[in-house]
PDB file of all heavy atoms in Angstrom:
ATOM      1  N   ILE A   1      -9.864  -9.145 -11.652  1.00 96.00           N
ATOM      2  CA  ILE A   1      -8.795 -10.080 -11.601  1.00 96.00           C
ATOM      3  C   ILE A   1      -8.096 -10.328 -12.952  1.00 96.00           C
ATOM      4  O   ILE A   1      -6.853 -10.289 -12.977  1.00 96.00           O
ATOM      5  CB  ILE A   1      -9.184 -11.369 -10.940  1.00 96.00           C
ATOM      6  CG1 ILE A   1      -9.615 -11.201  -9.518  1.00 96.00           C
ATOM      7  CG2 ILE A   1      -8.172 -12.477 -11.243  1.00 96.00           C
ATOM      8  CD1 ILE A   1     -10.176 -12.451  -8.851  1.00 96.00           C
ATOM      9  N   GLU A   2      -8.844 -10.486 -13.950  1.00 95.00           N
ATOM     10  CA  GLU A   2      -8.312 -10.878 -15.234  1.00 95.00           C
ATOM     11  C   GLU A   2      -7.888  -9.673 -16.163  1.00 95.00           C
ATOM     12  O   GLU A   2      -6.965  -9.747 -16.900  1.00 95.00           O
ATOM     13  CB  GLU A   2      -9.301 -11.712 -16.058  1.00 95.00           C
ATOM     14  CG  GLU A   2      -9.515 -13.082 -15.273  1.00 95.00           C
ATOM     15  CD  GLU A   2     -10.408 -14.048 -16.148  1.00 95.00           C
ATOM     16  OE1 GLU A   2     -10.909 -13.646 -17.278  1.00 95.00           O
ATOM     17  OE2 GLU A   2     -10.716 -15.117 -15.624  1.00 95.00           O
ATOM     18  N   ASP A   3      -8.648  -8.537 -16.111  1.00 93.00           N
ATOM     19  CA  ASP A   3      -8.538  -7.460 -16.988  1.00 93.00           C
ATOM     20  C   ASP A   3      -7.819  -6.217 -16.440  1.00 93.00           C
ATOM     21  O   ASP A   3      -7.075  -5.500 -17.088  1.00 93.00           O
ATOM     22  CB  ASP A   3      -9.786  -7.005 -17.659  1.00 93.00           C
ATOM     23  CG  ASP A   3     -10.479  -8.109 -18.349  1.00 93.00           C
ATOM     24  OD1 ASP A   3      -9.738  -8.985 -18.976  1.00 93.00           O
ATOM     25  OD2 ASP A   3     -11.722  -8.149 -18.430  1.00 93.00           O
ATOM     26  N   VAL A   4      -8.075  -6.030 -15.121  1.00 93.00           N
ATOM     27  CA  VAL A   4      -7.499  -4.813 -14.448  1.00 93.00           C
ATOM     28  C   VAL A   4      -6.192  -5.180 -13.843  1.00 93.00           C
ATOM     29  O   VAL A   4      -5.082  -4.602 -14.141  1.00 93.00           O
ATOM     30  CB  VAL A   4      -8.438  -4.193 -13.460  1.00 93.00           C
ATOM     31  CG1 VAL A   4      -7.792  -3.017 -12.736  1.00 93.00           C
ATOM     32  CG2 VAL A   4      -9.736  -3.785 -14.046  1.00 93.00           C
ATOM     33  N   LEU A   5      -6.161  -6.151 -12.907  1.00 94.00           N
ATOM     34  CA  LEU A   5      -4.980  -6.534 -12.316  1.00 94.00           C
ATOM     35  C   LEU A   5      -4.051  -7.527 -13.076  1.00 94.00           C
ATOM     36  O   LEU A   5      -2.841  -7.522 -12.898  1.00 94.00           O
ATOM     37  CB  LEU A   5      -5.291  -7.311 -10.919  1.00 94.00           C
ATOM     38  CG  LEU A   5      -6.174  -6.462  -9.959  1.00 94.00           C
ATOM     39  CD1 LEU A   5      -6.476  -7.282  -8.702  1.00 94.00           C
ATOM     40  CD2 LEU A   5      -5.512  -5.110  -9.631  1.00 94.00           C
ATOM     41  N   ARG A   6      -4.682  -8.364 -13.868  1.00 95.00           N
ATOM     42  CA  ARG A   6      -4.028  -9.342 -14.789  1.00 95.00           C
ATOM     43  C   ARG A   6      -3.138 -10.260 -13.886  1.00 95.00           C
ATOM     44  O   ARG A   6      -2.025 -10.535 -14.170  1.00 95.00           O
ATOM     45  CB  ARG A   6      -3.194  -8.649 -15.813  1.00 95.00           C
ATOM     46  CG  ARG A   6      -3.979  -7.775 -16.802  1.00 95.00           C
ATOM     47  CD  ARG A   6      -3.115  -7.313 -17.935  1.00 95.00           C
ATOM     48  NE  ARG A   6      -3.895  -6.499 -18.774  1.00 95.00           N
ATOM     49  CZ  ARG A   6      -3.978  -5.168 -18.768  1.00 95.00           C
ATOM     50  NH1 ARG A   6      -3.370  -4.472 -17.735  1.00 95.00           N
ATOM     51  NH2 ARG A   6      -4.660  -4.436 -19.633  1.00 95.00           N
ATOM     52  N   ILE A   7      -3.740 -10.927 -12.878  1.00 95.00           N
ATOM     53  CA  ILE A   7      -2.969 -11.744 -11.990  1.00 95.00           C
ATOM     54  C   ILE A   7      -3.338 -13.213 -12.118  1.00 95.00           C
ATOM     55  O   ILE A   7      -2.786 -14.041 -11.484  1.00 95.00           O
ATOM     56  CB  ILE A   7      -3.147 -11.367 -10.472  1.00 95.00           C
ATOM     57  CG1 ILE A   7      -4.629 -11.408 -10.106  1.00 95.00           C
ATOM     58  CG2 ILE A   7      -2.570  -9.997 -10.214  1.00 95.00           C
ATOM     59  CD1 ILE A   7      -4.820 -11.185  -8.591  1.00 95.00           C
ATOM     60  N   GLY A   8      -4.176 -13.451 -13.185  1.00 95.00           N
ATOM     61  CA  GLY A   8      -4.511 -14.856 -13.429  1.00 95.00           C
ATOM     62  C   GLY A   8      -5.993 -15.036 -13.814  1.00 95.00           C
ATOM     63  O   GLY A   8      -6.666 -14.007 -14.035  1.00 95.00           O
ATOM     64  N   LYS A   9      -6.432 -16.206 -13.969  1.00 96.00           N
ATOM     65  CA  LYS A   9      -7.788 -16.525 -14.311  1.00 96.00           C
ATOM     66  C   LYS A   9      -8.714 -16.673 -12.960  1.00 96.00           C
ATOM     67  O   LYS A   9      -8.217 -17.305 -11.977  1.00 96.00           O
ATOM     68  CB  LYS A   9      -7.877 -17.871 -15.084  1.00 96.00           C
ATOM     69  CG  LYS A   9      -7.216 -17.651 -16.467  1.00 96.00           C
ATOM     70  CD  LYS A   9      -7.858 -16.681 -17.321  1.00 96.00           C
ATOM     71  CE  LYS A   9      -7.337 -16.495 -18.676  1.00 96.00           C
ATOM     72  NZ  LYS A   9      -7.900 -15.483 -19.555  1.00 96.00           N
ATOM     73  N   VAL A  10      -9.905 -16.349 -13.089  1.00 94.00           N
ATOM     74  CA  VAL A  10     -10.690 -16.246 -11.958  1.00 94.00           C
ATOM     75  C   VAL A  10     -11.089 -17.724 -11.386  1.00 94.00           C
ATOM     76  O   VAL A  10     -11.397 -17.898 -10.228  1.00 94.00           O
ATOM     77  CB  VAL A  10     -11.969 -15.476 -12.197  1.00 94.00           C
ATOM     78  CG1 VAL A  10     -12.937 -16.241 -13.095  1.00 94.00           C
ATOM     79  CG2 VAL A  10     -12.762 -15.139 -10.931  1.00 94.00           C
ATOM     80  N   ASP A  11     -11.012 -18.614 -12.396  1.00 92.00           N
ATOM     81  CA  ASP A  11     -11.255 -20.043 -11.952  1.00 92.00           C
ATOM     82  C   ASP A  11     -10.009 -20.790 -11.518  1.00 92.00           C
ATOM     83  O   ASP A  11     -10.042 -22.044 -11.262  1.00 92.00           O
ATOM     84  CB  ASP A  11     -11.999 -20.796 -13.067  1.00 92.00           C
ATOM     85  CG  ASP A  11     -11.142 -20.778 -14.404  1.00 92.00           C
ATOM     86  OD1 ASP A  11     -10.101 -20.135 -14.408  1.00 92.00           O
ATOM     87  OD2 ASP A  11     -11.698 -21.244 -15.457  1.00 92.00           O
ATOM     88  N   ASP A  12      -8.878 -20.148 -11.413  1.00 93.00           N
ATOM     89  CA  ASP A  12      -7.651 -20.730 -10.889  1.00 93.00           C
ATOM     90  C   ASP A  12      -7.826 -21.062  -9.429  1.00 93.00           C
ATOM     91  O   ASP A  12      -8.292 -20.284  -8.651  1.00 93.00           O
ATOM     92  CB  ASP A  12      -6.479 -19.763 -11.054  1.00 93.00           C
ATOM     93  CG  ASP A  12      -5.150 -20.320 -10.641  1.00 93.00           C
ATOM     94  OD1 ASP A  12      -5.056 -21.318  -9.878  1.00 93.00           O
ATOM     95  OD2 ASP A  12      -4.076 -19.671 -10.956  1.00 93.00           O
ATOM     96  N   GLN A  13      -7.449 -22.259  -9.010  1.00 91.00           N
ATOM     97  CA  GLN A  13      -7.629 -22.741  -7.650  1.00 91.00           C
ATOM     98  C   GLN A  13      -6.954 -21.866  -6.623  1.00 91.00           C
ATOM     99  O   GLN A  13      -7.368 -21.774  -5.466  1.00 91.00           O
ATOM    100  CB  GLN A  13      -7.210 -24.323  -7.529  1.00 91.00           C
ATOM    101  CG  GLN A  13      -8.131 -25.190  -8.193  1.00 91.00           C
ATOM    102  CD  GLN A  13      -7.672 -26.654  -7.940  1.00 91.00           C
ATOM    103  OE1 GLN A  13      -6.655 -26.873  -7.376  1.00 91.00           O
ATOM    104  NE2 GLN A  13      -8.520 -27.632  -8.409  1.00 91.00           N
ATOM    105  N   GLN A  14      -5.849 -21.219  -7.038  1.00 94.00           N
ATOM    106  CA  GLN A  14      -5.130 -20.472  -6.117  1.00 94.00           C
ATOM    107  C   GLN A  14      -5.389 -18.947  -6.197  1.00 94.00           C
ATOM    108  O   GLN A  14      -4.726 -18.149  -5.649  1.00 94.00           O
ATOM    109  CB  GLN A  14      -3.578 -20.712  -6.346  1.00 94.00           C
ATOM    110  CG  GLN A  14      -3.194 -22.096  -6.201  1.00 94.00           C
ATOM    111  CD  GLN A  14      -3.478 -22.579  -4.780  1.00 94.00           C
ATOM    112  OE1 GLN A  14      -3.253 -21.911  -3.807  1.00 94.00           O
ATOM    113  NE2 GLN A  14      -3.929 -23.884  -4.582  1.00 94.00           N
ATOM    114  N   ILE A  15      -6.333 -18.573  -7.112  1.00 95.00           N
ATOM    115  CA  ILE A  15      -6.595 -17.177  -7.384  1.00 95.00           C
ATOM    116  C   ILE A  15      -7.011 -16.301  -6.152  1.00 95.00           C
ATOM    117  O   ILE A  15      -6.566 -15.257  -6.115  1.00 95.00           O
ATOM    118  CB  ILE A  15      -7.591 -16.989  -8.534  1.00 95.00           C
ATOM    119  CG1 ILE A  15      -7.461 -15.555  -9.190  1.00 95.00           C
ATOM    120  CG2 ILE A  15      -8.979 -17.279  -8.050  1.00 95.00           C
ATOM    121  CD1 ILE A  15      -6.178 -15.295  -9.727  1.00 95.00           C
ATOM    122  N   ASN A  16      -7.741 -16.905  -5.303  1.00 94.00           N
ATOM    123  CA  ASN A  16      -8.144 -16.119  -4.071  1.00 94.00           C
ATOM    124  C   ASN A  16      -6.925 -15.737  -3.253  1.00 94.00           C
ATOM    125  O   ASN A  16      -6.885 -14.610  -2.613  1.00 94.00           O
ATOM    126  CB  ASN A  16      -9.227 -16.959  -3.303  1.00 94.00           C
ATOM    127  CG  ASN A  16     -10.473 -17.102  -3.999  1.00 94.00           C
ATOM    128  OD1 ASN A  16     -10.789 -16.354  -4.949  1.00 94.00           O
ATOM    129  ND2 ASN A  16     -11.235 -18.115  -3.626  1.00 94.00           N
ATOM    130  N   THR A  17      -5.966 -16.756  -3.112  1.00 93.00           N
ATOM    131  CA  THR A  17      -4.807 -16.450  -2.308  1.00 93.00           C
ATOM    132  C   THR A  17      -3.925 -15.392  -3.032  1.00 93.00           C
ATOM    133  O   THR A  17      -3.401 -14.465  -2.360  1.00 93.00           O
ATOM    134  CB  THR A  17      -3.974 -17.770  -2.129  1.00 93.00           C
ATOM    135  OG1 THR A  17      -4.898 -18.709  -1.494  1.00 93.00           O
ATOM    136  CG2 THR A  17      -2.737 -17.387  -1.374  1.00 93.00           C
ATOM    137  N   LYS A  18      -3.782 -15.520  -4.439  1.00 94.00           N
ATOM    138  CA  LYS A  18      -2.988 -14.487  -5.152  1.00 94.00           C
ATOM    139  C   LYS A  18      -3.704 -13.164  -4.995  1.00 94.00           C
ATOM    140  O   LYS A  18      -2.896 -12.122  -4.811  1.00 94.00           O
ATOM    141  CB  LYS A  18      -2.989 -14.979  -6.629  1.00 94.00           C
ATOM    142  CG  LYS A  18      -2.206 -16.222  -6.959  1.00 94.00           C
ATOM    143  CD  LYS A  18      -2.281 -16.498  -8.441  1.00 94.00           C
ATOM    144  CE  LYS A  18      -1.476 -17.762  -8.787  1.00 94.00           C
ATOM    145  NZ  LYS A  18      -1.554 -18.055 -10.218  1.00 94.00           N
ATOM    146  N   PHE A  19      -4.944 -13.101  -5.105  1.00 95.00           N
ATOM    147  CA  PHE A  19      -5.748 -11.878  -5.050  1.00 95.00           C
ATOM    148  C   PHE A  19      -5.494 -11.152  -3.692  1.00 95.00           C
ATOM    149  O   PHE A  19      -5.116  -9.927  -3.630  1.00 95.00           O
ATOM    150  CB  PHE A  19      -7.219 -12.174  -5.227  1.00 95.00           C
ATOM    151  CG  PHE A  19      -7.981 -10.976  -5.296  1.00 95.00           C
ATOM    152  CD1 PHE A  19      -7.744  -9.808  -6.122  1.00 95.00           C
ATOM    153  CD2 PHE A  19      -9.154 -10.869  -4.493  1.00 95.00           C
ATOM    154  CE1 PHE A  19      -8.536  -8.733  -6.184  1.00 95.00           C
ATOM    155  CE2 PHE A  19     -10.064  -9.780  -4.562  1.00 95.00           C
ATOM    156  CZ  PHE A  19      -9.755  -8.710  -5.422  1.00 95.00           C
ATOM    157  N   LEU A  20      -5.521 -11.875  -2.578  1.00 94.00           N
ATOM    158  CA  LEU A  20      -5.450 -11.319  -1.177  1.00 94.00           C
ATOM    159  C   LEU A  20      -3.896 -10.905  -1.086  1.00 94.00           C
ATOM    160  O   LEU A  20      -3.753  -9.793  -0.540  1.00 94.00           O
ATOM    161  CB  LEU A  20      -5.810 -12.494  -0.195  1.00 94.00           C
ATOM    162  CG  LEU A  20      -5.894 -11.868   1.136  1.00 94.00           C
ATOM    163  CD1 LEU A  20      -6.843 -10.769   1.325  1.00 94.00           C
ATOM    164  CD2 LEU A  20      -6.274 -13.021   2.129  1.00 94.00           C
ATOM    165  N   ARG A  21      -2.991 -11.715  -1.464  1.00 94.00           N
ATOM    166  CA  ARG A  21      -1.580 -11.389  -1.274  1.00 94.00           C
ATOM    167  C   ARG A  21      -1.268 -10.140  -2.193  1.00 94.00           C
ATOM    168  O   ARG A  21      -0.428  -9.369  -1.692  1.00 94.00           O
ATOM    169  CB  ARG A  21      -0.709 -12.532  -1.711  1.00 94.00           C
ATOM    170  CG  ARG A  21      -0.689 -13.661  -0.652  1.00 94.00           C
ATOM    171  CD  ARG A  21       0.130 -14.859  -1.162  1.00 94.00           C
ATOM    172  NE  ARG A  21       0.157 -15.915  -0.147  1.00 94.00           N
ATOM    173  CZ  ARG A  21       0.643 -17.104  -0.337  1.00 94.00           C
ATOM    174  NH1 ARG A  21       1.291 -17.397  -1.594  1.00 94.00           N
ATOM    175  NH2 ARG A  21       0.739 -18.015   0.535  1.00 94.00           N
ATOM    176  N   PHE A  22      -1.798 -10.048  -3.301  1.00 95.00           N
ATOM    177  CA  PHE A  22      -1.478  -8.907  -4.191  1.00 95.00           C
ATOM    178  C   PHE A  22      -1.703  -7.599  -3.552  1.00 95.00           C
ATOM    179  O   PHE A  22      -0.929  -6.610  -3.568  1.00 95.00           O
ATOM    180  CB  PHE A  22      -2.275  -8.993  -5.541  1.00 95.00           C
ATOM    181  CG  PHE A  22      -1.968  -7.895  -6.498  1.00 95.00           C
ATOM    182  CD1 PHE A  22      -0.999  -7.976  -7.416  1.00 95.00           C
ATOM    183  CD2 PHE A  22      -2.852  -6.773  -6.483  1.00 95.00           C
ATOM    184  CE1 PHE A  22      -0.791  -7.096  -8.310  1.00 95.00           C
ATOM    185  CE2 PHE A  22      -2.535  -5.777  -7.478  1.00 95.00           C
ATOM    186  CZ  PHE A  22      -1.487  -5.891  -8.378  1.00 95.00           C
ATOM    187  N   TYR A  23      -2.887  -7.485  -2.755  1.00 95.00           N
ATOM    188  CA  TYR A  23      -3.210  -6.276  -2.164  1.00 95.00           C
ATOM    189  C   TYR A  23      -2.632  -6.002  -0.708  1.00 95.00           C
ATOM    190  O   TYR A  23      -2.989  -5.142  -0.094  1.00 95.00           O
ATOM    191  CB  TYR A  23      -4.715  -6.192  -2.044  1.00 95.00           C
ATOM    192  CG  TYR A  23      -5.416  -5.614  -3.292  1.00 95.00           C
ATOM    193  CD1 TYR A  23      -5.977  -6.548  -4.301  1.00 95.00           C
ATOM    194  CD2 TYR A  23      -5.467  -4.239  -3.501  1.00 95.00           C
ATOM    195  CE1 TYR A  23      -6.490  -6.045  -5.443  1.00 95.00           C
ATOM    196  CE2 TYR A  23      -6.013  -3.759  -4.707  1.00 95.00           C
ATOM    197  CZ  TYR A  23      -6.524  -4.655  -5.619  1.00 95.00           C
ATOM    198  OH  TYR A  23      -7.108  -4.144  -6.765  1.00 95.00           O
ATOM    199  N   GLN A  24      -1.718  -6.934  -0.300  1.00 93.00           N
ATOM    200  CA  GLN A  24      -1.125  -6.787   1.018  1.00 93.00           C
ATOM    201  C   GLN A  24      -0.034  -5.770   0.857  1.00 93.00           C
ATOM    202  O   GLN A  24       0.608  -5.319   1.932  1.00 93.00           O
ATOM    203  CB  GLN A  24      -0.641  -8.064   1.525  1.00 93.00           C
ATOM    204  CG  GLN A  24      -1.755  -9.118   1.826  1.00 93.00           C
ATOM    205  CD  GLN A  24      -2.899  -8.530   2.617  1.00 93.00           C
ATOM    206  OE1 GLN A  24      -2.659  -7.960   3.702  1.00 93.00           O
ATOM    207  NE2 GLN A  24      -4.058  -8.527   1.920  1.00 93.00           N
ATOM    208  N   ASP A  25       0.360  -5.348  -0.289  1.00 92.00           N
ATOM    209  CA  ASP A  25       1.327  -4.275  -0.507  1.00 92.00           C
ATOM    210  C   ASP A  25       0.861  -3.018   0.245  1.00 92.00           C
ATOM    211  O   ASP A  25      -0.239  -2.645   0.138  1.00 92.00           O
ATOM    212  CB  ASP A  25       1.456  -4.015  -2.002  1.00 92.00           C
ATOM    213  CG  ASP A  25       2.425  -2.860  -2.248  1.00 92.00           C
ATOM    214  OD1 ASP A  25       3.625  -3.039  -2.400  1.00 92.00           O
ATOM    215  OD2 ASP A  25       1.948  -1.720  -2.512  1.00 92.00           O
ATOM    216  N   SER A  26       1.818  -2.416   0.923  1.00 93.00           N
ATOM    217  CA  SER A  26       1.439  -1.162   1.776  1.00 93.00           C
ATOM    218  C   SER A  26       0.843  -0.102   0.947  1.00 93.00           C
ATOM    219  O   SER A  26      -0.124   0.615   1.422  1.00 93.00           O
ATOM    220  CB  SER A  26       2.663  -0.781   2.606  1.00 93.00           C
ATOM    221  OG  SER A  26       3.726  -0.362   1.635  1.00 93.00           O
ATOM    222  N   THR A  27       1.356   0.066  -0.218  1.00 93.00           N
ATOM    223  CA  THR A  27       0.842   1.187  -1.104  1.00 93.00           C
ATOM    224  C   THR A  27      -0.675   0.870  -1.513  1.00 93.00           C
ATOM    225  O   THR A  27      -1.510   1.781  -1.461  1.00 93.00           O
ATOM    226  CB  THR A  27       1.663   1.287  -2.375  1.00 93.00           C
ATOM    227  OG1 THR A  27       3.043   1.505  -2.058  1.00 93.00           O
ATOM    228  CG2 THR A  27       1.080   2.346  -3.354  1.00 93.00           C
ATOM    229  N   LEU A  28      -0.966  -0.380  -1.813  1.00 94.00           N
ATOM    230  CA  LEU A  28      -2.286  -0.658  -2.203  1.00 94.00           C
ATOM    231  C   LEU A  28      -3.254  -0.604  -0.966  1.00 94.00           C
ATOM    232  O   LEU A  28      -4.405  -0.208  -1.228  1.00 94.00           O
ATOM    233  CB  LEU A  28      -2.380  -2.062  -2.799  1.00 94.00           C
ATOM    234  CG  LEU A  28      -1.588  -2.181  -4.191  1.00 94.00           C
ATOM    235  CD1 LEU A  28      -1.794  -3.523  -4.814  1.00 94.00           C
ATOM    236  CD2 LEU A  28      -2.149  -1.123  -5.234  1.00 94.00           C
ATOM    237  N   GLN A  29      -2.773  -1.035   0.135  1.00 95.00           N
ATOM    238  CA  GLN A  29      -3.546  -0.893   1.394  1.00 95.00           C
ATOM    239  C   GLN A  29      -3.916   0.596   1.629  1.00 95.00           C
ATOM    240  O   GLN A  29      -4.998   0.964   2.093  1.00 95.00           O
ATOM    241  CB  GLN A  29      -2.845  -1.513   2.625  1.00 95.00           C
ATOM    242  CG  GLN A  29      -2.813  -3.008   2.524  1.00 95.00           C
ATOM    243  CD  GLN A  29      -4.187  -3.655   2.823  1.00 95.00           C
ATOM    244  OE1 GLN A  29      -4.921  -3.261   3.792  1.00 95.00           O
ATOM    245  NE2 GLN A  29      -4.611  -4.549   2.036  1.00 95.00           N
ATOM    246  N   ALA A  30      -2.954   1.470   1.463  1.00 94.00           N
ATOM    247  CA  ALA A  30      -3.173   2.856   1.609  1.00 94.00           C
ATOM    248  C   ALA A  30      -4.186   3.402   0.607  1.00 94.00           C
ATOM    249  O   ALA A  30      -5.090   4.242   0.993  1.00 94.00           O
ATOM    250  CB  ALA A  30      -1.800   3.683   1.490  1.00 94.00           C
ATOM    251  N   LEU A  31      -4.133   2.991  -0.675  1.00 95.00           N
ATOM    252  CA  LEU A  31      -5.079   3.330  -1.604  1.00 95.00           C
ATOM    253  C   LEU A  31      -6.518   2.926  -1.238  1.00 95.00           C
ATOM    254  O   LEU A  31      -7.411   3.639  -1.477  1.00 95.00           O
ATOM    255  CB  LEU A  31      -4.703   2.732  -3.045  1.00 95.00           C
ATOM    256  CG  LEU A  31      -3.583   3.323  -3.745  1.00 95.00           C
ATOM    257  CD1 LEU A  31      -3.215   2.522  -5.050  1.00 95.00           C
ATOM    258  CD2 LEU A  31      -3.808   4.762  -4.078  1.00 95.00           C
TER     259      LEU A  31
END
């Protein structure tokens, strides 16, 4: 989350939602 994707801090209250939404991209789902 923090070093590869760089989408925030793992202890952010909203990070799980951000993480899940990030990978809903069709390209990433295909990967």
Side-chain angles (χ1 to χ4, degrees):
I1 289 174
E2 297 184 358
D3 301 328
V4 179
L5 305 179
R6 298 187 181 92
I7 58 174
K9 296 295 183 181
V10 75
D11 54 2
D12 182 343
Q13 290 186 350
Q14 300 299 317
I15 197 62
N16 294 335
T17 302
K18 291 180 182 179
F19 183 50
L20 188 58
R21 286 179 178 172
F22 182 86
Y23 275 97
Q24 296 314 299
D25 177 85
S26 59
T27 297
L28 295 181
Q29 286 289 312
L31 285 175

